[in-house]
mmCIF file of all heavy atoms in Angstrom:
data_model
loop_
_atom_site.group_PDB
_atom_site.id
_atom_site.type_symbol
_atom_site.label_atom_id
_atom_site.label_comp_id
_atom_site.label_asym_id
_atom_site.label_seq_id
_atom_site.Cartn_x
_atom_site.Cartn_y
_atom_site.Cartn_z
ATOM 1 N N ASN A 1 -5.509 150.086 14.667
ATOM 2 C CA ASN A 1 -5.562 149.161 15.807
ATOM 3 C C ASN A 1 -4.600 149.597 16.887
ATOM 4 O O ASN A 1 -4.537 148.975 17.955
ATOM 5 C CB ASN A 1 -5.396 147.735 15.411
ATOM 6 C CG ASN A 1 -3.933 147.375 15.080
ATOM 7 O OD1 ASN A 1 -2.973 148.177 15.187
ATOM 8 N ND2 ASN A 1 -3.776 146.133 14.604
ATOM 9 N N SER A 2 -3.875 150.688 16.661
ATOM 10 C CA SER A 2 -2.938 151.170 17.661
ATOM 11 C C SER A 2 -2.588 152.647 17.471
ATOM 12 O O SER A 2 -2.609 153.171 16.322
ATOM 13 C CB SER A 2 -1.604 150.273 17.585
ATOM 14 O OG SER A 2 -1.212 150.176 16.241
ATOM 15 N N VAL A 3 -2.267 153.325 18.567
ATOM 16 C CA VAL A 3 -1.981 154.804 18.544
ATOM 17 C C VAL A 3 -0.795 155.032 19.430
ATOM 18 O O VAL A 3 -0.687 154.573 20.576
ATOM 19 C CB VAL A 3 -3.245 155.556 18.989
ATOM 20 C CG1 VAL A 3 -2.961 157.064 19.058
ATOM 21 C CG2 VAL A 3 -4.478 155.299 18.125
ATOM 22 N N ARG A 4 0.074 155.819 18.876
ATOM 23 C CA ARG A 4 1.336 156.305 19.636
ATOM 24 C C ARG A 4 1.050 157.758 20.113
ATOM 25 O O ARG A 4 0.635 158.613 19.291
ATOM 26 C CB ARG A 4 2.535 156.191 18.785
ATOM 27 C CG ARG A 4 3.846 156.666 19.480
ATOM 28 C CD ARG A 4 4.987 156.357 18.516
ATOM 29 N NE ARG A 4 6.276 156.773 19.071
ATOM 30 C CZ ARG A 4 6.950 157.840 18.600
ATOM 31 N NH1 ARG A 4 6.479 158.569 17.629
ATOM 32 N NH2 ARG A 4 8.170 158.091 19.010
ATOM 33 N N ILE A 5 1.291 157.981 21.390
ATOM 34 C CA ILE A 5 1.089 159.347 21.986
ATOM 35 C C ILE A 5 2.336 159.977 22.465
ATOM 36 O O ILE A 5 2.919 159.538 23.489
ATOM 37 C CB ILE A 5 0.058 159.171 23.180
ATOM 38 C CG1 ILE A 5 -1.250 158.527 22.712
ATOM 39 C CG2 ILE A 5 -0.281 160.623 23.751
ATOM 40 C CD1 ILE A 5 -2.178 158.262 23.890
ATOM 41 N N PRO A 6 2.872 160.976 21.686
ATOM 42 C CA PRO A 6 4.020 161.678 22.229
ATOM 43 C C PRO A 6 3.697 162.514 23.429
ATOM 44 O O PRO A 6 2.678 163.181 23.448
ATOM 45 C CB PRO A 6 4.420 162.619 20.965
ATOM 46 C CG PRO A 6 3.739 161.991 19.798
ATOM 47 C CD PRO A 6 2.458 161.358 20.442
ATOM 48 N N LEU A 7 4.623 162.503 24.392
ATOM 49 C CA LEU A 7 4.451 163.238 25.669
ATOM 50 C C LEU A 7 5.642 164.133 25.969
ATOM 51 O O LEU A 7 6.723 164.042 25.334
ATOM 52 C CB LEU A 7 4.253 162.211 26.821
ATOM 53 C CG LEU A 7 3.127 161.289 26.840
ATOM 54 C CD1 LEU A 7 3.115 160.287 28.006
ATOM 55 C CD2 LEU A 7 1.806 161.946 26.638
ATOM 56 N N ASN A 8 5.412 165.103 26.893
ATOM 57 C CA ASN A 8 6.336 166.013 27.406
ATOM 58 C C ASN A 8 6.666 165.744 28.903
ATOM 59 O O ASN A 8 5.784 165.757 29.681
ATOM 60 C CB ASN A 8 5.828 167.429 27.206
ATOM 61 C CG ASN A 8 6.826 168.478 27.554
ATOM 62 O OD1 ASN A 8 7.210 168.539 28.709
ATOM 63 N ND2 ASN A 8 7.091 169.401 26.642
ATOM 64 N N GLU A 9 7.997 165.548 29.193
ATOM 65 C CA GLU A 9 8.368 165.174 30.545
ATOM 66 C C GLU A 9 8.057 166.266 31.557
ATOM 67 O O GLU A 9 7.645 165.959 32.717
ATOM 68 C CB GLU A 9 9.782 164.715 30.678
ATOM 69 C CG GLU A 9 10.819 165.762 30.361
ATOM 70 C CD GLU A 9 12.301 165.244 30.471
ATOM 71 O OE1 GLU A 9 12.430 164.053 30.571
ATOM 72 O OE2 GLU A 9 13.219 166.117 30.474
ATOM 73 N N ASP A 10 8.340 167.524 31.245
ATOM 74 C CA ASP A 10 8.059 168.580 32.169
ATOM 75 C C ASP A 10 6.498 168.755 32.371
ATOM 76 O O ASP A 10 6.141 169.126 33.504
ATOM 77 C CB ASP A 10 8.647 169.914 31.680
ATOM 78 C CG ASP A 10 10.193 169.958 31.937
ATOM 79 O OD1 ASP A 10 10.668 169.115 32.659
ATOM 80 O OD2 ASP A 10 10.727 170.935 31.344
ATOM 81 N N CYS A 11 5.780 168.577 31.333
ATOM 82 C CA CYS A 11 4.251 168.682 31.548
ATOM 83 C C CYS A 11 3.807 167.604 32.441
ATOM 84 O O CYS A 11 2.916 167.719 33.274
ATOM 85 C CB CYS A 11 3.578 168.705 30.187
ATOM 86 S SG CYS A 11 4.023 170.092 29.158
ATOM 87 N N TRP A 12 4.288 166.328 32.134
ATOM 88 C CA TRP A 12 3.805 165.175 32.971
ATOM 89 C C TRP A 12 4.202 165.357 34.439
ATOM 90 O O TRP A 12 3.448 165.097 35.448
ATOM 91 C CB TRP A 12 4.477 163.946 32.449
ATOM 92 C CG TRP A 12 4.092 162.726 33.170
ATOM 93 C CD1 TRP A 12 4.717 162.228 34.309
ATOM 94 C CD2 TRP A 12 2.990 161.751 32.949
ATOM 95 N NE1 TRP A 12 4.083 161.047 34.807
ATOM 96 C CE2 TRP A 12 3.023 160.805 33.917
ATOM 97 C CE3 TRP A 12 2.061 161.698 31.896
ATOM 98 C CZ2 TRP A 12 2.097 159.744 33.925
ATOM 99 C CZ3 TRP A 12 1.109 160.676 31.979
ATOM 100 C CH2 TRP A 12 1.164 159.685 32.941
ATOM 101 N N LEU A 13 5.512 165.738 34.686
ATOM 102 C CA LEU A 13 5.984 165.830 36.084
ATOM 103 C C LEU A 13 5.650 167.117 36.797
ATOM 104 O O LEU A 13 5.510 167.174 38.020
ATOM 105 C CB LEU A 13 7.495 165.780 36.084
ATOM 106 C CG LEU A 13 8.132 164.386 35.635
ATOM 107 C CD1 LEU A 13 9.667 164.500 35.554
ATOM 108 C CD2 LEU A 13 7.813 163.272 36.692
ATOM 109 N N GLY A 14 5.320 168.162 35.947
ATOM 110 C CA GLY A 14 5.077 169.449 36.561
ATOM 111 C C GLY A 14 6.430 170.163 36.764
ATOM 112 O O GLY A 14 7.438 169.551 37.114
ATOM 113 N N ARG A 15 6.480 171.509 36.600
ATOM 114 C CA ARG A 15 7.684 172.212 36.714
ATOM 115 C C ARG A 15 7.466 173.636 36.931
ATOM 116 O O ARG A 15 6.534 174.222 36.322
ATOM 117 C CB ARG A 15 8.588 171.947 35.503
ATOM 118 C CG ARG A 15 9.938 172.654 35.568
ATOM 119 C CD ARG A 15 10.884 172.076 34.488
ATOM 120 N NE ARG A 15 12.244 172.689 34.616
ATOM 121 C CZ ARG A 15 13.292 172.195 34.078
ATOM 122 N NH1 ARG A 15 13.223 171.154 33.354
ATOM 123 N NH2 ARG A 15 14.461 172.770 34.211
ATOM 124 N N ASP A 16 8.283 174.261 37.840
ATOM 125 C CA ASP A 16 8.239 175.754 37.996
ATOM 126 C C ASP A 16 8.348 176.393 36.708
ATOM 127 O O ASP A 16 9.242 176.090 35.942
ATOM 128 C CB ASP A 16 9.254 176.174 38.988
ATOM 129 C CG ASP A 16 9.046 175.687 40.421
ATOM 130 O OD1 ASP A 16 7.918 175.221 40.742
ATOM 131 O OD2 ASP A 16 10.033 175.650 41.145
ATOM 132 N N GLY A 17 7.522 177.432 36.526
ATOM 133 C CA GLY A 17 7.607 178.255 35.282
ATOM 134 C C GLY A 17 6.547 177.813 34.256
ATOM 135 O O GLY A 17 6.289 178.563 33.285
ATOM 136 N N LEU A 18 5.882 176.640 34.525
ATOM 137 C CA LEU A 18 4.764 176.220 33.687
ATOM 138 C C LEU A 18 3.464 176.344 34.400
ATOM 139 O O LEU A 18 3.399 176.258 35.629
ATOM 140 C CB LEU A 18 4.951 174.772 33.253
ATOM 141 C CG LEU A 18 6.192 174.486 32.388
ATOM 142 C CD1 LEU A 18 6.249 173.015 32.019
ATOM 143 C CD2 LEU A 18 6.171 175.281 31.046
ATOM 144 N N SER A 19 2.408 176.602 33.679
ATOM 145 C CA SER A 19 1.080 176.765 34.335
ATOM 146 C C SER A 19 0.681 175.502 35.073
ATOM 147 O O SER A 19 0.626 174.366 34.467
ATOM 148 C CB SER A 19 0.015 177.110 33.273
ATOM 149 O OG SER A 19 -1.258 177.062 33.858
ATOM 150 N N PRO A 20 0.300 175.534 36.322
ATOM 151 C CA PRO A 20 -0.161 174.403 37.125
ATOM 152 C C PRO A 20 -1.507 173.829 36.561
ATOM 153 O O PRO A 20 -1.784 172.708 36.756
ATOM 154 C CB PRO A 20 -0.319 174.906 38.542
ATOM 155 C CG PRO A 20 -0.459 176.371 38.392
ATOM 156 C CD PRO A 20 0.354 176.809 37.215
ATOM 157 N N GLU A 21 -2.201 174.717 35.873
ATOM 158 C CA GLU A 21 -3.430 174.235 35.284
ATOM 159 C C GLU A 21 -3.268 173.271 34.034
ATOM 160 O O GLU A 21 -4.136 172.573 33.614
ATOM 161 C CB GLU A 21 -4.375 175.407 34.793
ATOM 162 C CG GLU A 21 -5.003 176.252 35.932
ATOM 163 C CD GLU A 21 -3.993 177.127 36.500
ATOM 164 O OE1 GLU A 21 -2.962 177.461 35.865
ATOM 165 O OE2 GLU A 21 -4.205 177.620 37.686
ATOM 166 N N LEU A 22 -2.082 173.318 33.533
ATOM 167 C CA LEU A 22 -1.691 172.509 32.352
ATOM 168 C C LEU A 22 -0.692 171.427 32.578
ATOM 169 O O LEU A 22 -0.373 170.653 31.708
ATOM 170 C CB LEU A 22 -1.140 173.441 31.213
ATOM 171 C CG LEU A 22 -1.959 174.677 30.884
ATOM 172 C CD1 LEU A 22 -1.181 175.516 29.827
ATOM 173 C CD2 LEU A 22 -3.319 174.249 30.361
ATOM 174 N N THR A 23 -0.194 171.409 33.818
ATOM 175 C CA THR A 23 0.903 170.438 34.094
ATOM 176 C C THR A 23 0.597 169.528 35.260
ATOM 177 O O THR A 23 -0.513 169.662 35.887
ATOM 178 C CB THR A 23 2.162 171.223 34.465
ATOM 179 O OG1 THR A 23 1.971 171.967 35.694
ATOM 180 C CG2 THR A 23 2.592 172.213 33.374
ATOM 181 N N GLY A 24 1.434 168.631 35.553
ATOM 182 C CA GLY A 24 1.320 167.687 36.659
ATOM 183 C C GLY A 24 0.023 166.921 36.661
ATOM 184 O O GLY A 24 -0.321 166.305 35.711
ATOM 185 N N PRO A 25 -0.761 166.994 37.750
ATOM 186 C CA PRO A 25 -1.987 166.192 37.760
ATOM 187 C C PRO A 25 -2.910 166.420 36.597
ATOM 188 O O PRO A 25 -3.550 165.517 36.180
ATOM 189 C CB PRO A 25 -2.612 166.620 39.138
ATOM 190 C CG PRO A 25 -1.417 167.070 39.976
ATOM 191 C CD PRO A 25 -0.482 167.712 39.002
ATOM 192 N N ALA A 26 -3.099 167.715 36.246
ATOM 193 C CA ALA A 26 -4.006 168.026 35.119
ATOM 194 C C ALA A 26 -3.566 167.363 33.815
ATOM 195 O O ALA A 26 -4.360 166.816 33.047
ATOM 196 C CB ALA A 26 -4.117 169.509 34.986
ATOM 197 N N TYR A 27 -2.308 167.490 33.537
ATOM 198 C CA TYR A 27 -1.733 166.847 32.300
ATOM 199 C C TYR A 27 -1.824 165.342 32.388
ATOM 200 O O TYR A 27 -2.325 164.715 31.416
ATOM 201 C CB TYR A 27 -0.336 167.301 32.171
ATOM 202 C CG TYR A 27 0.361 166.784 30.918
ATOM 203 C CD1 TYR A 27 0.263 167.557 29.639
ATOM 204 C CD2 TYR A 27 1.130 165.650 30.902
ATOM 205 C CE1 TYR A 27 0.917 167.206 28.537
ATOM 206 C CE2 TYR A 27 1.812 165.278 29.669
ATOM 207 C CZ TYR A 27 1.677 166.009 28.529
ATOM 208 O OH TYR A 27 2.316 165.664 27.368
ATOM 209 N N ARG A 28 -1.442 164.783 33.518
ATOM 210 C CA ARG A 28 -1.532 163.293 33.626
ATOM 211 C C ARG A 28 -2.926 162.779 33.538
ATOM 212 O O ARG A 28 -3.226 161.719 32.919
ATOM 213 C CB ARG A 28 -0.898 162.879 34.999
ATOM 214 C CG ARG A 28 0.618 163.173 35.106
ATOM 215 C CD ARG A 28 1.227 162.480 36.232
ATOM 216 N NE ARG A 28 0.736 162.910 37.562
ATOM 217 C CZ ARG A 28 1.293 163.923 38.250
ATOM 218 N NH1 ARG A 28 2.337 164.584 37.750
ATOM 219 N NH2 ARG A 28 0.789 164.260 39.439
ATOM 220 N N ALA A 29 -3.873 163.483 34.110
ATOM 221 C CA ALA A 29 -5.276 163.083 34.028
ATOM 222 C C ALA A 29 -5.765 163.103 32.572
ATOM 223 O O ALA A 29 -6.530 162.241 32.154
ATOM 224 C CB ALA A 29 -6.144 164.005 34.915
#
């Protein structure tokens, strides 16, 4: 009845050095 989802702060916020296709808006979506 419940699920916990571990997240990554750099992927959520986006960060230089990480792929934009995998980070920021794409990750949040």
Side-chain angles (χ1 to χ4, degrees):
N1 71 8
S2 46
V3 178
R4 179 174 179 254
I5 305 174
L7 299 179
N8 182 301
E9 67 179 9
D10 282 350
C11 297
W12 179 275
L13 293 171
R15 182 163 182 164
D16 291 343
L18 296 178
S19 169
E21 289 79 19
L22 306 177
T23 64
Y27 184 86
R28 295 194 294 270

